[in-house]
Every structure is written in C-alpha cells, then in structure tokens.
Coordinates of all heavy atoms in Angstrom, one line a residue:
M1 N 103.0 118.7 129.8 CA 103.2 118.1 128.5 C 104.1 116.9 128.5 O 103.9 116.0 127.8 CB 103.6 119.2 127.5 CG 103.5 118.6 126.1 SD 103.7 119.8 124.7 CE 103.8 121.4 125.3
K2 N 105.1 117.0 129.4 CA 106.1 115.9 129.5 C 105.4 114.6 129.8 O 105.7 113.5 129.3 CB 107.2 116.3 130.5 CG 108.3 115.2 130.6 CD 109.3 115.7 131.6 CE 110.4 114.6 131.8 NZ 111.4 115.0 132.7
E3 N 104.5 114.7 130.8 CA 103.8 113.5 131.2 C 102.9 112.9 130.0 O 102.9 111.7 129.8 CB 102.8 113.8 132.4 CG 102.1 112.6 132.9 CD 101.1 112.9 134.0 OE1 101.6 113.6 135.0 OE2 100.0 112.5 134.0
L4 N 102.3 113.8 129.3 CA 101.6 113.3 128.1 C 102.4 112.7 127.0 O 102.0 111.7 126.4 CB 100.7 114.4 127.5 CG 99.6 115.0 128.4 CD1 99.0 116.2 127.8 CD2 98.6 113.9 128.6
L5 N 103.6 113.2 126.8 CA 104.6 112.6 125.9 C 105.0 111.2 126.4 O 105.0 110.3 125.6 CB 105.8 113.5 125.7 CG 105.7 114.6 124.7 CD1 106.8 115.6 124.9 CD2 105.8 114.0 123.3
E6 N 105.2 111.1 127.7 CA 105.6 109.8 128.2 C 104.5 108.8 128.1 O 104.7 107.6 127.8 CB 106.1 109.9 129.7 CG 107.4 110.6 129.8 CD 108.5 109.9 129.1 OE1 108.6 108.7 129.2 OE2 109.4 110.6 128.5
R7 N 103.3 109.3 128.3 CA 102.1 108.4 128.2 C 101.9 107.9 126.8 O 101.6 106.7 126.5 CB 100.8 109.1 128.7 CG 99.7 108.2 128.9 CD 98.6 108.7 129.7 NE 98.1 110.0 129.1 CZ 97.1 110.7 129.6 NH1 96.4 110.2 130.6 NH2 96.7 111.8 129.0
L8 N 102.1 108.8 125.8 CA 102.1 108.4 124.4 C 103.1 107.4 124.1 O 102.8 106.4 123.4 CB 102.2 109.7 123.5 CG 102.2 109.4 122.0 CD1 100.9 108.6 121.6 CD2 102.3 110.7 121.2
K9 N 104.4 107.6 124.5 CA 105.4 106.7 124.2 C 105.1 105.3 124.7 O 105.3 104.3 124.1 CB 106.8 107.2 124.7 CG 107.4 108.3 123.9 CD 108.8 108.5 124.3 CE 108.9 109.7 125.2 NZ 110.3 110.0 125.6
E10 N 104.6 105.3 125.9 CA 104.3 104.0 126.5 C 103.1 103.3 125.8 O 103.2 102.1 125.5 CB 103.9 104.1 128.0 CG 103.5 102.8 128.7 CD 104.7 101.8 128.7 OE1 105.9 102.2 128.7 OE2 104.4 100.6 128.8
A11 N 102.1 104.1 125.4 CA 101.0 103.5 124.6 C 101.5 103.0 123.3 O 101.0 102.0 122.8 CB 99.9 104.6 124.5
E12 N 102.4 103.7 122.7 CA 103.0 103.3 121.4 C 103.7 102.0 121.5 O 103.6 101.1 120.7 CB 103.9 104.4 120.8 CG 103.2 105.6 120.3 CD 104.1 106.7 120.0 OE1 105.3 106.8 120.5 OE2 103.7 107.6 119.1
R13 N 104.5 101.9 122.6 CA 105.2 100.6 122.9 C 104.3 99.4 123.0 O 104.5 98.3 122.4 CB 106.1 100.7 124.1 CG 107.4 101.5 123.9 CD 108.4 101.4 125.0 NE 107.9 102.1 126.2 CZ 108.2 103.4 126.4 NH1 109.0 104.1 125.6 NH2 107.8 104.0 127.5
K14 N 103.2 99.7 123.8 CA 102.2 98.6 124.0 C 101.5 98.2 122.7 O 101.3 97.0 122.4 CB 101.2 99.0 125.0 CG 101.8 99.0 126.4 CD 100.8 99.4 127.5 CE 101.4 99.5 128.8 NZ 100.4 99.9 129.9
A15 N 101.1 99.2 121.9 CA 100.5 99.0 120.6 C 101.4 98.2 119.7 O 101.0 97.3 119.0 CB 100.0 100.3 120.0
D16 N 102.7 98.6 119.6 CA 103.6 97.9 118.7 C 103.8 96.5 119.2 O 103.8 95.6 118.3 CB 105.0 98.6 118.8 CG 104.9 100.0 118.1 OD1 104.0 100.3 117.3 OD2 105.9 100.8 118.3
A17 N 103.9 96.2 120.5 CA 104.0 94.9 120.9 C 102.8 94.0 120.6 O 102.9 92.9 120.2 CB 104.3 94.9 122.5
A18 N 101.6 94.6 120.8 CA 100.4 93.9 120.5 C 100.2 93.6 119.0 O 99.8 92.6 118.6 CB 99.2 94.7 121.0
D19 N 100.7 94.6 118.2 CA 100.7 94.4 116.8 C 101.6 93.2 116.4 O 101.2 92.4 115.5 CB 101.1 95.7 116.1 CG 101.0 95.6 114.6 OD1 100.0 95.0 114.1 OD2 101.8 96.3 113.9
R20 N 102.8 93.2 116.9 CA 103.7 92.1 116.6 C 103.0 90.7 117.0 O 103.1 89.8 116.2 CB 105.0 92.2 117.3 CG 105.9 93.3 116.7 CD 107.3 93.2 117.2 NE 107.3 93.5 118.7 CZ 107.4 94.8 119.2 NH1 107.3 95.8 118.4 NH2 107.4 94.9 120.5
E21 N 102.4 90.7 118.2 CA 101.8 89.4 118.6 C 100.7 89.0 117.7 O 100.5 87.9 117.3 CB 101.2 89.6 120.0 CG 102.3 89.7 121.1 CD 103.0 88.4 121.3 OE1 102.3 87.3 121.3 OE2 104.2 88.4 121.5
Y22 N 99.9 90.0 117.3 CA 98.8 89.7 116.4 C 99.3 89.3 115.0 O 98.7 88.4 114.4 CB 97.8 90.9 116.3 CG 96.7 90.8 115.4 CD1 95.8 89.7 115.4 CD2 96.4 91.7 114.4 CE1 94.7 89.5 114.6 CE2 95.3 91.6 113.6 CZ 94.5 90.5 113.6 OH 93.4 90.3 112.8
E23 N 100.3 89.9 114.5 CA 100.9 89.6 113.2 C 101.4 88.1 113.2 O 101.3 87.4 112.2 CB 102.0 90.5 112.8 CG 101.5 91.8 112.3 CD 102.6 92.8 111.8 OE1 103.8 92.3 111.8 OE2 102.3 93.9 111.4
N24 N 101.9 87.7 114.3 CA 102.5 86.3 114.4 C 101.4 85.3 114.5 O 101.6 84.1 114.3 CB 103.4 86.2 115.7 CG 104.7 87.0 115.5 OD1 105.1 87.1 114.3 ND2 105.3 87.4 116.5
D25 N 100.2 85.7 114.9 CA 99.0 84.8 115.0 C 97.7 85.5 114.7 O 96.9 85.7 115.5 CB 99.0 84.3 116.5 CG 98.0 83.1 116.7 OD1 97.5 82.6 115.7 OD2 97.8 82.8 117.9
P26 N 97.6 85.8 113.4 CA 96.4 86.6 112.9 C 95.1 86.0 113.1 O 94.1 86.7 113.0 CB 96.7 86.9 111.5 CG 97.7 85.9 111.0 CD 98.5 85.5 112.2
E27 N 95.0 84.7 113.3 CA 93.7 84.0 113.5 C 93.3 84.1 115.0 O 92.2 83.7 115.3 CB 93.8 82.6 113.0 CG 94.2 82.4 111.6 CD 93.2 83.0 110.6 OE1 92.0 82.9 110.9 OE2 93.6 83.7 109.7
N28 N 94.1 84.5 115.8 CA 93.8 84.6 117.3 C 93.0 85.8 117.6 O 93.5 86.9 117.6 CB 95.1 84.6 118.1 CG 94.9 84.4 119.5 OD1 94.1 85.1 120.1 ND2 95.7 83.6 120.2
E29 N 91.7 85.6 118.0 CA 90.8 86.7 118.3 C 91.3 87.5 119.5 O 91.1 88.7 119.6 CB 89.4 86.2 118.4 CG 88.8 85.7 117.1 CD 87.4 85.3 117.3 OE1 86.7 85.7 118.2 OE2 86.9 84.5 116.4
E30 N 91.8 86.8 120.5 CA 92.3 87.5 121.7 C 93.4 88.5 121.4 O 93.4 89.6 121.9 CB 92.7 86.5 122.8 CG 91.5 85.7 123.3 CD 90.5 86.6 124.0 OE1 90.8 87.5 124.7 OE2 89.3 86.3 123.7
K31 N 94.3 88.1 120.5 CA 95.4 88.9 120.1 C 94.9 90.1 119.3 O 95.4 91.2 119.4 CB 96.5 88.2 119.4 CG 97.2 87.2 120.4 CD 98.4 86.5 119.7 CE 99.0 85.6 120.7 NZ 100.1 84.9 120.2
E32 N 93.9 89.9 118.5 CA 93.3 91.0 117.7 C 92.6 92.0 118.7 O 92.8 93.2 118.5 CB 92.3 90.4 116.8 CG 91.6 91.5 115.9 CD 90.6 90.9 114.9 OE1 90.2 89.7 115.0 OE2 90.2 91.7 114.1
K33 N 91.9 91.5 119.7 CA 91.2 92.4 120.6 C 92.3 93.1 121.4 O 92.1 94.3 121.7 CB 90.4 91.6 121.6 CG 89.1 91.0 120.9 CD 88.3 90.2 121.9 CE 87.1 89.6 121.2 NZ 86.3 88.7 122.1
A34 N 93.4 92.5 121.8 CA 94.4 93.1 122.6 C 95.1 94.3 121.7 O 95.3 95.3 122.2 CB 95.5 92.1 123.0
F35 N 95.3 94.0 120.4 CA 95.8 95.0 119.6 C 94.8 96.2 119.4 O 95.2 97.3 119.5 CB 96.1 94.5 118.2 CG 96.5 95.6 117.2 CD1 97.6 96.3 117.3 CD2 95.6 95.9 116.2 CE1 97.9 97.3 116.4 CE2 95.8 96.9 115.3 CZ 97.0 97.6 115.4
D36 N 93.6 95.9 119.2 CA 92.5 96.9 119.1 C 92.5 97.8 120.3 O 92.5 99.1 120.2 CB 91.2 96.3 118.9 CG 91.0 95.7 117.5 OD1 91.9 96.0 116.6 OD2 90.1 95.0 117.3
L37 N 92.6 97.2 121.5 CA 92.6 98.0 122.8 C 93.8 98.8 122.9 O 93.8 100.0 123.2 CB 92.4 97.0 124.0 CG 92.5 97.7 125.3 CD1 91.3 98.7 125.5 CD2 92.4 96.6 126.4
A38 N 95.0 98.2 122.6 CA 96.2 99.0 122.7 C 96.3 100.1 121.7 O 96.7 101.2 122.1 CB 97.4 98.0 122.5
Y39 N 95.8 99.9 120.5 CA 95.8 101.0 119.5 C 94.8 102.1 119.9 O 95.1 103.3 119.8 CB 95.4 100.5 118.1 CG 95.4 101.5 117.1 CD1 96.6 102.0 116.6 CD2 94.2 102.1 116.7 CE1 96.6 103.0 115.6 CE2 94.2 103.2 115.7 CZ 95.4 103.6 115.2 OH 95.5 104.6 114.3
S40 N 93.7 101.7 120.5 CA 92.7 102.7 121.0 C 93.4 103.6 122.1 O 93.2 104.8 122.1 CB 91.5 102.0 121.6 OG 90.6 102.9 122.1
E41 N 94.1 103.0 123.0 CA 94.8 103.7 124.1 C 95.9 104.6 123.5 O 96.0 105.8 123.9 CB 95.4 102.7 125.1 CG 94.4 102.0 125.9 CD 93.4 103.0 126.7 OE1 93.9 103.9 127.3 OE2 92.2 102.7 126.6
E42 N 96.6 104.2 122.5 CA 97.6 105.0 121.8 C 96.9 106.2 121.2 O 97.4 107.4 121.3 CB 98.3 104.2 120.7 CG 99.3 105.0 120.0 CD 100.0 104.3 118.8 OE1 99.9 103.0 118.7 OE2 100.7 104.9 118.0
Y43 N 95.8 106.0 120.5 CA 95.0 107.1 119.9 C 94.6 108.1 120.9 O 94.7 109.3 120.7 CB 93.9 106.6 119.1 CG 93.1 107.6 118.4 CD1 93.6 108.2 117.2 CD2 91.9 108.1 118.8 CE1 92.9 109.2 116.5 CE2 91.2 109.1 118.2 CZ 91.7 109.6 117.0 OH 91.0 110.6 116.3
K44 N 94.1 107.7 122.1 CA 93.6 108.6 123.1 C 94.8 109.4 123.7 O 94.7 110.6 123.9 CB 93.0 107.8 124.3 CG 91.6 107.2 123.9 CD 91.1 106.4 125.1 CE 89.9 105.6 124.7 NZ 89.4 104.7 125.8
A45 N 96.0 108.8 123.8 CA 97.1 109.5 124.3 C 97.6 110.5 123.3 O 98.0 111.6 123.7 CB 98.3 108.5 124.6
F46 N 97.5 110.2 122.0 CA 97.9 111.1 121.0 C 97.0 112.3 120.9 O 97.5 113.4 120.9 CB 97.9 110.3 119.6 CG 98.3 111.1 118.4 CD1 99.6 111.1 118.0 CD2 97.4 112.0 117.7 CE1 100.1 111.8 116.9 CE2 97.8 112.7 116.7 CZ 99.2 112.7 116.3
E47 N 95.7 112.0 121.0 CA 94.7 113.1 121.0 C 94.9 114.0 122.3 O 94.8 115.2 122.1 CB 93.3 112.6 121.0 CG 93.0 111.9 119.6 CD 92.8 113.0 118.5 OE1 92.1 113.9 118.7 OE2 93.5 112.8 117.5
A48 N 95.2 113.4 123.4 CA 95.4 114.2 124.6 C 96.6 115.2 124.5 O 96.5 116.3 124.9 CB 95.5 113.3 125.8
L49 N 97.6 114.6 123.9 CA 98.8 115.5 123.7 C 98.5 116.6 122.7 O 98.9 117.7 122.9 CB 100.0 114.6 123.2 CG 101.3 115.3 122.9 CD1 101.8 116.1 124.1 CD2 102.4 114.3 122.5
A50 N 97.8 116.3 121.6 CA 97.5 117.3 120.6 C 96.7 118.4 121.3 O 96.9 119.6 121.1 CB 96.8 116.7 119.4
R51 N 95.7 118.0 122.1 CA 94.9 119.0 122.8 C 95.7 119.9 123.7 O 95.5 121.1 123.9 CB 93.7 118.3 123.5 CG 92.6 117.9 122.7 CD 91.4 117.5 123.5 NE 91.6 116.5 124.5 CZ 91.7 115.1 124.3 NH1 91.4 114.7 123.1 NH2 91.9 114.3 125.3
A52 N 96.7 119.3 124.4 CA 97.5 120.0 125.3 C 98.4 121.0 124.6 O 98.6 122.1 125.1 CB 98.4 119.0 126.1
I53 N 98.8 120.7 123.4 CA 99.6 121.6 122.6 C 98.8 122.8 122.2 O 99.2 123.9 122.3 CB 100.2 120.9 121.3 CG1 101.3 119.9 121.8 CG2 100.8 121.9 120.4 CD1 101.8 119.0 120.7
V54 N 97.5 122.5 121.7 CA 96.6 123.6 121.4 C 96.4 124.5 122.6 O 96.4 125.7 122.5 CB 95.3 123.0 120.8 CG1 94.3 124.1 120.6 CG2 95.5 122.3 119.5
K55 N 96.1 123.9 123.7 CA 95.9 124.7 125.0 C 97.1 125.5 125.4 O 97.0 126.7 125.7 CB 95.4 123.7 126.1 CG 95.1 124.5 127.3 CD 94.6 123.5 128.4 CE 94.2 124.3 129.7 NZ 93.8 123.3 130.7
A56 N 98.3 124.9 125.3 CA 99.5 125.5 125.7 C 99.8 126.7 124.9 O 100.5 127.7 125.3 CB 100.7 124.6 125.7
T57 N 99.4 126.7 123.6 CA 99.6 127.8 122.7 C 98.4 128.7 122.6 O 98.4 129.6 121.7 CB 100.0 127.3 121.3 OG1 99.0 126.6 120.7 CG2 101.3 126.4 121.4
A58 N 97.5 128.6 123.5 CA 96.3 129.4 123.4 C 95.6 129.4 122.1 O 95.1 130.4 121.6 CB 96.6 130.8 123.9
G59 N 95.7 128.2 121.4 CA 95.0 128.1 120.1 C 95.8 128.6 118.9 O 95.3 128.5 117.8
K60 N 97.0 129.1 119.1 CA 97.8 129.6 118.0 C 98.3 128.4 117.1 O 98.5 128.6 116.0 CB 99.0 130.4 118.5 CG 98.6 131.7 119.1 CD 99.8 132.5 119.6 CE 99.3 133.8 120.3 NZ 100.4 134.5 120.9
I61 N 98.3 127.2 117.7 CA 98.6 126.0 117.0 C 97.3 125.2 117.0 O 96.8 124.9 118.1 CB 99.7 125.2 117.6 CG1 101.1 126.0 117.4 CG2 99.8 123.8 116.9 CD1 102.2 125.3 118.1
D62 N 96.7 124.9 115.9 CA 95.5 124.2 115.8 C 95.7 122.7 116.0 O 96.9 122.2 116.0 CB 94.7 124.5 114.6 CG 95.4 124.0 113.3 OD1 96.4 123.3 113.3 OD2 95.0 124.5 112.2
T63 N 94.7 121.9 116.1 CA 94.8 120.5 116.4 C 95.5 119.8 115.2 O 96.3 118.9 115.5 CB 93.4 119.9 116.6 OG1 92.7 120.6 117.6 CG2 93.5 118.4 116.9
Q64 N 95.2 120.1 114.0 CA 95.8 119.5 112.9 C 97.3 119.7 112.9 O 98.1 118.8 112.6 CB 95.2 120.0 111.6 CG 95.8 119.3 110.3 CD 95.1 119.8 109.1 OE1 94.2 120.7 109.1 NE2 95.4 119.1 107.9
T65 N 97.8 120.9 113.1 CA 99.2 121.3 113.2 C 99.8 120.6 114.4 O 101.0 120.1 114.3 CB 99.4 122.8 113.3 OG1 98.7 123.4 112.1 CG2 100.8 123.2 113.3
A66 N 99.1 120.5 115.5 CA 99.7 119.8 116.7 C 99.9 118.4 116.4 O 100.9 117.8 116.7 CB 98.7 120.0 117.9
A67 N 99.0 117.7 115.7 CA 99.1 116.3 115.3 C 100.3 116.1 114.4 O 101.1 115.2 114.5 CB 97.9 115.8 114.6
A68 N 100.5 117.1 113.4 CA 101.7 117.0 112.5 C 103.0 117.1 113.3 O 104.0 116.5 113.0 CB 101.5 118.0 111.4
M69 N 102.9 118.0 114.3 CA 104.1 118.2 115.1 C 104.5 116.9 115.9 O 105.7 116.6 116.0 CB 103.9 119.4 116.1 CG 103.8 120.7 115.5 SD 103.3 122.0 116.6 CE 104.7 122.0 117.8
I70 N 103.5 116.3 116.4 CA 103.7 115.0 117.2 C 104.3 114.0 116.3 O 105.3 113.3 116.7 CB 102.4 114.5 117.8 CG1 101.9 115.5 118.9 CG2 102.6 113.2 118.5 CD1 100.5 115.3 119.3
R71 N 103.8 113.9 115.1 CA 104.3 112.9 114.1 C 105.7 113.2 113.6 O 106.5 112.3 113.5 CB 103.3 112.7 113.0 CG 102.1 112.0 113.3 CD 101.2 111.8 112.1 NE 99.8 111.5 112.5 CZ 98.9 112.4 112.5 NH1 99.1 113.7 112.1 NH2 97.6 112.1 112.9
G72 N 105.9 114.5 113.3 CA 107.1 114.8 112.5 C 108.2 115.6 113.3 O 109.3 115.7 112.9
R73 N 107.8 116.1 114.5 CA 108.8 116.9 115.2 C 108.8 116.4 116.7 O 108.9 117.3 117.6 CB 108.4 118.4 115.2 CG 108.3 119.0 113.8 CD 109.7 119.2 113.3 NE 109.6 119.9 112.0 CZ 110.6 120.2 111.4 NH1 111.8 119.9 111.8 NH2 110.5 120.8 110.2
R74 N 108.8 115.1 116.9 CA 108.7 114.6 118.3 C 109.9 115.1 119.1 O 109.7 115.4 120.3 CB 108.7 113.1 118.2 CG 108.6 112.3 119.5 CD 107.3 112.4 120.2 NE 106.3 111.8 119.4 CZ 105.8 110.5 119.6 NH1 106.4 109.8 120.5 NH2 104.9 110.0 118.8
Q75 N 111.1 115.0 118.6 CA 112.3 115.4 119.4 C 112.2 116.8 119.8 O 112.5 117.1 121.0 CB 113.6 115.1 118.6 CG 114.8 115.4 119.4 CD 114.9 114.5 120.6 OE1 114.7 113.3 120.5 NE2 115.2 115.1 121.7
Q76 N 111.8 117.7 118.9 CA 111.6 119.1 119.3 C 110.6 119.3 120.4 O 110.8 120.1 121.3 CB 111.3 120.0 118.1 CG 112.4 120.1 117.1 CD 112.5 119.0 116.1 OE1 111.9 118.0 116.2 NE2 113.1 119.3 115.0
L77 N 109.5 118.5 120.3 CA 108.5 118.6 121.4 C 109.0 118.1 122.7 O 108.7 118.7 123.8 CB 107.3 117.8 121.0 CG 106.3 118.4 120.0 CD1 105.2 117.3 119.6 CD2 105.6 119.6 120.5
E78 N 109.8 117.1 122.7 CA 110.4 116.6 123.9 C 111.3 117.6 124.5 O 111.4 117.8 125.7 CB 111.1 115.3 123.7 CG 110.1 114.1 123.4 CD 110.8 112.8 123.1 OE1 112.0 112.7 123.1 OE2 110.0 111.9 122.8
T79 N 112.1 118.3 123.7 CA 113.0 119.3 124.2 C 112.2 120.5 124.8 O 112.6 121.0 125.9 CB 113.9 119.9 123.0 OG1 114.7 118.8 122.5 CG2 114.8 120.9 123.5
I80 N 111.2 120.9 124.1 CA 110.3 122.0 124.6 C 109.7 121.6 126.0 O 109.6 122.4 126.9 CB 109.3 122.4 123.6 CG1 109.9 123.1 122.4 CG2 108.2 123.3 124.2 CD1 109.0 123.2 121.2
S81 N 109.2 120.4 126.0 CA 108.5 119.9 127.3 C 109.5 119.9 128.4 O 109.1 120.1 129.6 CB 107.9 118.6 127.1 OG 108.8 117.5 127.0
E82 N 110.8 119.6 128.2 CA 111.8 119.6 129.2 C 111.9 121.0 129.8 O 112.3 121.2 131.0 CB 113.1 119.1 128.7 CG 113.1 117.6 128.4 CD 112.9 116.7 129.6 OE1 113.4 117.1 130.7 OE2 112.3 115.6 129.4
M83 N 111.7 122.0 129.0 CA 111.9 123.4 129.4 C 110.7 124.0 130.2 O 110.9 125.0 130.9 CB 112.1 124.3 128.2 CG 113.4 124.1 127.5 SD 113.5 125.4 126.2 CE 114.0 124.3 124.8
M84 N 109.6 123.3 130.1 CA 108.4 123.8 130.8 C 108.3 123.4 132.2 O 108.8 122.5 132.7 CB 107.1 123.3 130.0 CG 107.1 123.7 128.6 SD 105.7 123.0 127.8 CE 104.6 124.5 127.8

C-alpha cells in the first residue's frame, strides 16, 4: 500500500503542475492534452489505492469508503501503510 500511496502522490504532483501550466495558457492544446493525461494517471493511481484498501480489508471497507478515506484521512493511511 505504501508504494500505491507514493504513486498517487507523484501523480497528484504531476497533475497539479500540468493544471498550473494549462491555466497559464488555456488556449494551448498541448497543455490541455498534458493536463488530461496527467489527470487520467492520477485517477488510475487513486483507483488502484482504493482497490488495495478494499482487498487489504477483505471487503470490510467498500470502494466508496476507501475513496473517502484517501480524500479525508490521508495521514492516517500513510501511518497505517508504514506499519504494514
């Protein structure tokens, strides 16, 4: 799970950077495409982490709850992942 958290953080950094670039030049189609790609990668990393949480809890935490945990309880997830 630690690796998936790191992958999500990196994807978020890339998406944020691409978003800033696109906001600075919204007419630039290449920057729009770069943002779309970065956001897609962030979404994939988020979904992979949510699935891992569901799997690690043998389904006791569902996907919706796992997603809420990622959004609202990131620090606690990082602490738990360090223990695994």
Side-chain angles (χ1 to χ4, degrees):
M1 191 169 356
K2 183 178 179 181
E3 181 181 313
L4 292 172
L5 275 164
E6 289 300 319
R7 190 165 57 176
L8 176 58
K9 283 193 260 184
E10 181 61 25
E12 288 170 336
R13 283 190 287 271
K14 287 180 181 179
D16 289 345
D19 186 35
R20 283 190 299 276
E21 289 290 321
Y22 179 50
E23 282 183 7
N24 289 332
D25 190 6
E27 300 299 318
N28 187 315
E29 289 183 23
E30 291 302 315
K31 290 183 180 182
E32 181 180 11
K33 287 178 186 177
F35 169 71
D36 289 344
L37 178 61
Y39 182 77
S40 175
E41 291 302 314
E42 178 184 348
Y43 183 77
K44 288 177 188 176
F46 184 93
E47 290 291 307
L49 179 56
R51 284 191 306 274
I53 292 169
V54 172
K55 184 177 179 181
T57 63
K60 291 180 182 174
I61 294 175
D62 63 14
T63 304
Q64 184 177 4
T65 303
M69 290 171 64
I70 296 167
R71 288 186 198 99
R73 302 285 185 181
R74 179 76 63 96
Q75 185 60 47
Q76 289 89 339
L77 282 174
E78 290 177 3
T79 300
I80 291 168
S81 75
E82 291 293 328
M83 291 186 227
M84 297 178 105

